[in-house]
Amino acid sequence: MTKRRYYTITELTAEFGITTRTLRFYEDEKLLNPERQARKRLYTPRDRTRLKLILRGKRLGFSLAEVREIIEMYDHAPGERGQLEKLQGRIAERQAELEQKQKDILETLEELNQVNSSVQQRLNELK
Amino acid sequence: MTKRRYYTITELTAEFGITTRTLRFYEDEKLLNPERQARKRLYTPRDRTRLKLILRGKRLGFSLAEVREIIEMYDHAPGERGQLEKLQGRIAERQAELEQKQKDILETLEELNQVNSSVQQRLNELK
DNA sequence: TATGCATTTTACGTAAACGTCAATTAAATT
DNA sequence: AATTTAATTGACGTTTACGTAAAATGCATA
């Protein structure tokens, strides 16, 4: 017996903690492309992978439009030199953005640590 | 001559690439508290620092409500044991969130690197 | 067969985060 | 004094990302 081929809409909502509305919305936005069995949606492993990419992008603060661009990079067609070079440019931009976010995170974590220390000290003083 | 004490609204919009509307909106939301000289806003270094925190939070995908909570952690009043412990709990939550974002970023950077490599290889093959 | 349950489609609603006027007002320059 | 320039205060508009309610459909079970 081979791997499951399809996921139902409720399986995905349960696995990722999202609503059916969200899944249908992403489909309207052409981010997902579930097949149909009569009227029911059947999500493929590819849909599930894309969904993970979408949710990860959202966690990082990307809009759906940005998520779409990033996913399109993954799916890029072979293309000619000019296209490929443009693609590299866009990749570099996203990488720079992500590196900025890394810095932002490190700063924030550091500050939260400092707050935590001062709170801890206050707690120690309280007996 | 000591350090500048105030920033005008246009100085801040220029420095951070935002609009006056945004600054007034943050003020309505009680995130900033500029003084007034007649009707004109005079932003203090403290306002500027908070603005930086706001913009950094936004880059990380936090909503203004979340940014507000984070800033309030920085500004927390001394408080009693129960309060302090709750604060530590909230700090831990935010830290976990940020660590998840770090993982998400590393994964995304790795994937973008892979795409970049395959694009580069294609370019090399094109002569 | 009737009934319940999940799913679908349609469509209006909503919260967040500003954008974009329009109508003052004040300060600075001619 | 007249005029340009910068800032302010409403207030309605817009986009994004779904929420939510209603009505129809289809499968499963009592």
Side-chain angles (χ1 to χ4, degrees):
Chain A
M1 179 175 162
T2 132
K3 271 191 188 163
R4 301 267 317 277
R5 269 201 202 106
Y6 296 110
Y7 302 86
T8 66
I9 197 165
T10 32
E11 280 173 342
L12 291 185
T13 61
E15 179 174 4
F16 296 105
I18 57 179
T19 68
T20 58
R21 180 69 180 85
T22 298
L23 284 168
R24 295 192 192 106
F25 179 71
Y26 292 164
E27 186 178 347
D28 281 350
E29 296 292 309
K30 314 287 182 193
L31 289 166
L32 299 178
N33 248 335
E35 300 176 8
R36 298 295 174 114
Q37 165 192 301
R39 313 197 336 155
K40 300 213 172 157
R41 288 167 172 83
L42 291 179
Y43 294 87
T44 65
R46 179 167 197 272
D47 285 314
R48 184 169 167 281
T49 297
R50 291 177 70 111
L51 178 57
K52 283 206 276 187
L53 293 179
I54 296 168
L55 298 177
R56 192 183 67 191
K58 298 232 75 191
R59 281 197 301 275
L60 292 178
F62 289 114
S63 69
L64 284 184
E66 291 171 316
V67 167
R68 192 199 319 281
E69 284 182 47
I70 292 172
I71 289 182
E72 278 168 7
M73 290 180 182
Y74 292 23
D75 289 353
H76 67 283
E80 23 124 342
R81 175 172 296 276
Q83 287 306 313
L84 293 174
E85 282 165 352
K86 271 192 189 170
L87 178 53
Q88 284 195 323
R90 277 193 289 266
I91 290 173
E93 282 175 34
R94 291 302 176 189
Q95 286 174 333
E97 231 177 302
L98 288 165
E99 282 157 14
Q100 175 62 52
K101 284 181 203 268
Q102 279 186 319
K103 286 186 203 168
D104 289 332
I105 289 174
L106 288 176
E107 285 180 24
T108 310
L109 279 173
E110 175 56 29
E111 290 166 6
L112 287 178
N113 267 324
Q114 284 177 26
V115 176
N116 198 52
S117 295
S118 95
V119 171
Q120 186 56 52
Q121 184 170 347
R122 219 105 41 78
L123 276 170
N124 293 340
E125 289 165 6
L126 285 186
K127 197 180 61 71
Chain B
M1 179 176 162
T2 130
K3 272 191 187 163
R4 303 264 320 272
R5 273 207 196 103
Y6 295 111
Y7 302 86
T8 66
I9 197 165
T10 32
E11 280 173 340
L12 291 185
T13 61
E15 178 174 3
F16 295 105
I18 56 179
T19 68
T20 58
R21 180 70 180 85
T22 298
L23 285 168
R24 295 191 193 107
F25 179 70
Y26 292 164
E27 185 178 349
D28 282 349
E29 295 292 310
K30 315 287 183 194
L31 289 167
L32 300 178
N33 249 335
E35 299 176 9
R36 299 296 174 114
Q37 164 192 299
R39 311 197 337 154
K40 300 212 173 158
R41 289 167 171 82
L42 291 178
Y43 294 88
T44 64
R46 177 164 198 273
D47 286 313
R48 182 169 168 282
T49 297
R50 292 177 69 111
L51 179 56
K52 284 206 276 188
L53 292 179
I54 296 168
L55 298 176
R56 192 182 66 189
K58 298 232 76 190
R59 281 197 301 276
L60 292 178
F62 289 113
S63 69
L64 284 184
E66 290 172 316
V67 167
R68 191 198 321 280
E69 284 183 46
I70 293 171
I71 290 182
E72 278 168 8
M73 289 179 181
Y74 292 24
D75 289 352
H76 67 286
E80 22 124 342
R81 175 173 297 276
Q83 288 304 314
L84 293 175
E85 282 164 353
K86 272 192 189 169
L87 179 52
Q88 284 195 323
R90 277 193 289 266
I91 291 173
E93 282 175 35
R94 291 301 174 190
Q95 286 174 333
E97 231 177 303
L98 289 165
E99 282 157 14
Q100 175 62 52
K101 283 180 203 268
Q102 279 186 319
K103 287 185 201 168
D104 289 332
I105 289 174
L106 288 176
E107 285 180 24
T108 310
L109 280 172
E110 176 55 30
E111 291 166 6
L112 287 178
N113 266 325
Q114 284 177 26
V115 176
N116 198 52
S117 295
S118 96
V119 171
Q120 186 56 50
Q121 185 171 346
R122 217 100 48 75
L123 276 170
N124 292 341
E125 289 164 6
L126 287 185
K127 197 181 56 76

